């Protein structure tokens, strides 16, 4: 009797897997481009579905899974080192570590400002901005006006953006920081009920189109500004109320500095993962590099991760930036599955749930992959979106309580992403409901 029941269970499980497999291989939607998919039961170490998992795909923001793991492993989950500094006689010489939190409009960290205010020394900002390219390899030049391509820098301030914000019912919008008000000009009207903001390509000059009628709805728009050591020194001087002198002397960069701890890494990870914040992802890789060798280099951070943290992946990551904006990045689904396993092993589940977007509830999948009414989320996963690229990789909790690992990457689909998500939503719910 026991053998019969075991045989029936195996047969049922096999039929379930076949149905799941068919939901991907027999789909008219998924057949319109290139699909890579892998589904793993980690408890049994059993691959349930494998479709092109050994092929390289452009992952878009699934790259942030690699950034997260590298950052979590190197930086930990407590405070990041937000400032390098040396004390020489009556002088305080300081420079950036890549920490993105300084007066960030969401993270709101002012530890560095308080530190400068309390110092009784002459203050010198050491210019190490040339260590960091504003844009990553393979980024498009015409993204300069978009928040998703905010400039990278050695010492960000205000998140390297100007925020235009209006609360519901207000008749005027605010500019944060207000230092940019003098750089803003209204230009004509448009037959569209709302504001549109733009920055000049090569200058920190901003314009907005005036609505054709009074606009009192809530909105929030972030536009990147052009960064520089000179501008950062000016902003630091304004905020601290002290004179900040800008110097360039590379010999100081070779010395072993003291480090000032600033923002909780937890808060940076959560915002980076949940809303897929490219700026935070890029700056995290610089923080990793600073932690490793007191130098700011995304390439160094990636090389370290590949050599020391990711060497056991089935396929070598072809990895160029922290955010996934570069279409030069290429990973295989089976390597992402292996990485998800490493994350599960080293990061507590409650933290994974706090960092990752939750289906139907938070982050970039708050409108997708909802659980049954009254039930907790069953998908915790990272999205990825570029032109003709969509990805979703993470953890799926079945009704029986199993936690499965999955990675799905769509490339070269010339159809609306909503069609892919709708089809994937049906397939993932089937797994949740039946396995």
């Amino acid at each position: 009797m026991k053998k019969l029941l075991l045989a029936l269970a195996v047969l049922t499980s096999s039929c379930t897997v076949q149905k799941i497999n068919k939901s991907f291989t027999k789909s008219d939607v998924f057949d319109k481009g290139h699909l890579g998919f892998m589904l793993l039961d980690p408890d049994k170490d059993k691959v349930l579905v494998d479709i092109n998992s050994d092929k390289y795909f452009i992952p878009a923001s699934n790259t942030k899974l690699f950034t997260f793991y590298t950052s979590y492993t190197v930086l930990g989950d407590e405070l990041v080192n937000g400032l390098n500094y040396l004390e020489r006689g009556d002088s305080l010489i300081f420079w950036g570590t890549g920490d993105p939190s300084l007066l960030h409009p969401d993270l709101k960290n002012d530890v560095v400002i308080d530190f400068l205010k309390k110092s009784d020394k002459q203050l010198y900002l050491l210019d190490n901005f040339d260590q960091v390219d504003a844009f990553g390899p393979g980024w498009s030049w015409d993204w300069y006006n978009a928040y998703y391509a905010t400039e990278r820098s050695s010492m960000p301030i205000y998140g390297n953006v100007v925020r235009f914000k209006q609360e519901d019912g207000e008749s005027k919008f605010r500019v944060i920081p207000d230092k940019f008000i003098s750089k803003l000009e209204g230009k004509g009207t448009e037959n569209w009920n709302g504001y549109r903001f733009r920055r000049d390509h090569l200058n920190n000059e901003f314009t907005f189109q005036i609505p054709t009628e009074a606009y009192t709805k809530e909105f929030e728009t972030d536009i990147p500004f052009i960064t520089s050591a000179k501008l950062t020194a000016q902003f630091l001087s304004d905020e601290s109320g002290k004179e900040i002198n800008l110097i360039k002397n590379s010999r100081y960069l070779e010395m072993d500095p003291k480090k000032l701890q600033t923002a909780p890494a937890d808060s940076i990870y959560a915002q980076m993962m949940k809303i897929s914040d490219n700026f935070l992802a890029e700056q995290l890789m610089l923080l990793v590099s600073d932690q490793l060798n007191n130098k700011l280099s995304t390439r160094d951070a990636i090389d370290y991760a590949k050599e020391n943290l990711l060497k056991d992946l089935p396929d070598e990551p072809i990895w160029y930036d922290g955010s996934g904006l570069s279409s030069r990045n290429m990973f295989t689904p089976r390597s992402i599955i292996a990485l998800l396993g490493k994350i599960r092993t080293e990061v507590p589940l409650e933290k994974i749930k706090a960092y990752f977007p939750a289906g139907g509830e938070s982050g970039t999948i708050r409108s997708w992959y909802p659980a049954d009414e009254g039930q907790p989320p069953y998908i915790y996963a990272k999205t990825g979106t570029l032109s003709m690229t969509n990805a979703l990789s993470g953890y799926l909790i079945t009704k029986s309580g199993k936690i499965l690992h999955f990675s799905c990457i769509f490339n070269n689909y010339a159809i609306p992403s909503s069609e892919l998500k709708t089809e994937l939503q049906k397939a993932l719910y089937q797994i949740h409901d039946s396995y």
Side-chain angles (χ1 to χ4, degrees):
M1 185 66 177
K2 288 183 179 180
K3 290 183 178 179
L4 177 60
L5 291 174
L6 179 61
L8 287 173
V10 171
L11 180 62
T12 300
S13 177
S14 177
C15 289
T16 299
V17 170
Q18 288 179 22
K19 287 181 181 179
I20 293 170
N21 191 69
K22 284 182 180 179
S23 68
F24 287 91
T25 58
K26 302 299 183 182
S27 166
D28 291 338
V29 176
F30 295 158
D31 193 44
K32 293 179 180 178
H34 301 157
L35 167 65
F37 182 78
M38 189 171 183
L39 179 68
L40 175 76
D41 182 339
D43 293 336
K44 297 179 179 179
D45 194 24
K46 180 181 179 181
V47 176
L48 304 177
V49 182
D50 187 334
I51 304 170
N52 297 323
S53 75
D54 61 339
K55 301 294 190 294
Y56 279 94
F57 290 84
I58 297 171
S61 283
N62 266 206
T63 303
K64 293 185 179 72
L65 290 167
F66 291 78
T67 296
F68 165 70
Y69 179 72
T70 300
S71 303
Y72 188 90
T73 304
V74 175
L75 304 175
D77 58 358
E78 298 183 354
L79 296 176
V80 301
N81 292 318
L83 195 72
N84 291 324
Y85 68 97
L86 300 167
E87 294 176 306
R88 293 290 183 271
D90 63 354
S91 300
L92 176 69
I93 302 160
F94 64 93
W95 61 97
T97 64
D99 174 21
S101 70
L102 176 57
L103 301 180
H104 188 287
D106 296 322
L107 301 175
K108 297 180 172 63
N109 191 288
D110 58 1
V111 171
V112 167
I113 300 301
D114 287 342
F115 176 73
L116 297 178
K117 283 181 177 179
K118 292 175 182 176
S119 176
D120 59 358
K121 299 180 181 296
Q122 296 183 44
L123 303 178
Y124 295 90
L125 172 61
L126 182 60
D127 180 1
N128 65 334
F129 272 57
D130 59 358
Q131 290 186 353
V132 182
D133 291 330
F135 298 102
W139 292 17
S140 178
W141 71 268
D142 61 352
W143 290 344
Y144 69 90
N145 197 68
Y147 174 70
Y148 59 75
T150 297
E151 289 193 6
R152 312 183 297 186
S153 69
S154 65
M155 192 173 187
I157 189 167
Y158 311 118
N160 286 353
V161 296
V162 183
R163 174 166 290 182
F164 303 96
K165 182 175 182 178
Q166 184 168 295
E167 302 289 351
D168 192 32
E170 292 181 343
S171 59
K172 294 182 179 180
F173 63 82
R174 286 172 283 143
V175 181
I176 306 168
D178 59 10
K179 300 169 179 62
F180 284 101
I181 292 176
S182 62
K183 302 292 185 180
L184 178 65
E185 179 183 0
K187 283 199 171 182
T189 61
E190 183 179 279
N191 189 24
W192 182 77
N193 190 23
Y195 291 97
R196 287 184 178 174
F197 300 88
R198 291 200 65 81
R199 194 201 80 212
D200 181 79
H201 181 204
L202 301 176
N203 297 284
N204 282 325
E205 302 286 343
F206 299 82
T207 60
F208 68 96
Q209 292 176 317
I210 304 167
T212 53
E213 57 186 74
Y215 191 80
T216 58
K217 295 181 181 179
E218 182 176 3
F219 73 85
E220 185 176 282
T221 302
D222 290 344
I223 304 293
F225 61 77
I226 300 171
T227 62
S228 70
K230 182 178 180 181
L231 187 62
T232 297
Q234 177 187 327
F235 287 156
L236 290 173
S237 180
D238 292 343
E239 295 289 349
S240 67
K242 294 190 172 185
E243 181 181 3
I244 307 291
N245 301 285
L246 184 63
I247 61 172
K248 195 170 183 69
N249 191 329
S250 59
R251 69 183 178 90
Y252 290 123
L253 296 174
E254 305 300 322
M255 299 180 182
D256 188 24
K258 296 181 180 179
K259 291 186 174 283
L260 178 70
Q261 293 185 316
T262 53
D266 264 351
S267 62
I268 301 176
Y269 299 151
Q271 175 138 331
M272 184 264 286
M273 292 290 285
K274 282 187 179 294
I275 69 171
S276 201
D277 193 302
N278 296 325
F279 169 69
L280 296 184
E282 295 296 338
Q283 297 300 137
L284 278 169
M285 294 304 286
L286 296 177
L287 277 168
V288 167
S289 174
D290 174 75
Q291 183 81 354
L292 294 172
N293 57 23
N294 288 327
K295 178 184 173 185
L296 303 183
S297 167
T298 301
R299 185 74 263 163
D300 284 358
I302 289 173
D303 288 345
Y304 173 85
K306 288 172 65 174
E307 179 64 27
N308 298 278
L309 308 178
L310 306 172
K311 211 167 185 179
D312 56 347
L313 298 186
D315 307 292
E316 180 184 359
I318 300 174
W319 187 8
Y320 281 89
D321 66 10
S323 62
L325 275 177
S326 177
S327 58
R328 298 180 190 177
N329 296 315
M330 289 195 296
F331 305 132
T332 64
R334 68 183 184 183
S335 281
I336 294 177
I337 288 290
L339 179 67
L340 290 169
K342 292 166 75 71
I343 292 172
R344 272 288 306 283
T345 299
E346 300 173 37
V347 183
L349 183 58
E350 62 271 19
K351 281 191 175 289
I352 289 175
K353 290 182 176 181
Y355 297 148
F356 280 55
E361 185 174 283
S362 67
T364 51
I365 55 173
R366 64 186 178 279
S367 301
W368 293 94
Y369 319 106
D372 292 334
E373 186 174 354
Q375 297 301 308
Y378 72 91
I379 293 287
Y380 292 90
K382 183 70 200 73
T383 53
T385 306
L386 280 175
S387 177
M388 293 190 291
T389 294
N390 264 272
L392 186 73
S393 300
Y395 308 101
L396 185 155
I397 304 173
T398 69
K399 285 186 176 180
S400 66
K402 285 182 172 292
I403 300 179
L404 306 180
H405 301 177
F406 73 94
S407 178
C408 184
I409 307 180
F410 303 106
N411 278 182
N412 298 325
Y413 282 80
I415 60 176
S417 63
S418 58
E419 292 186 29
L420 289 171
K421 292 175 185 176
T422 299
E423 190 77 354
L424 182 60
Q425 183 169 273
K426 290 189 291 185
L428 294 181
Y429 184 82
Q430 181 186 19
I431 299 169
H432 164 70
D433 189 53
S434 60
Y435 192 78

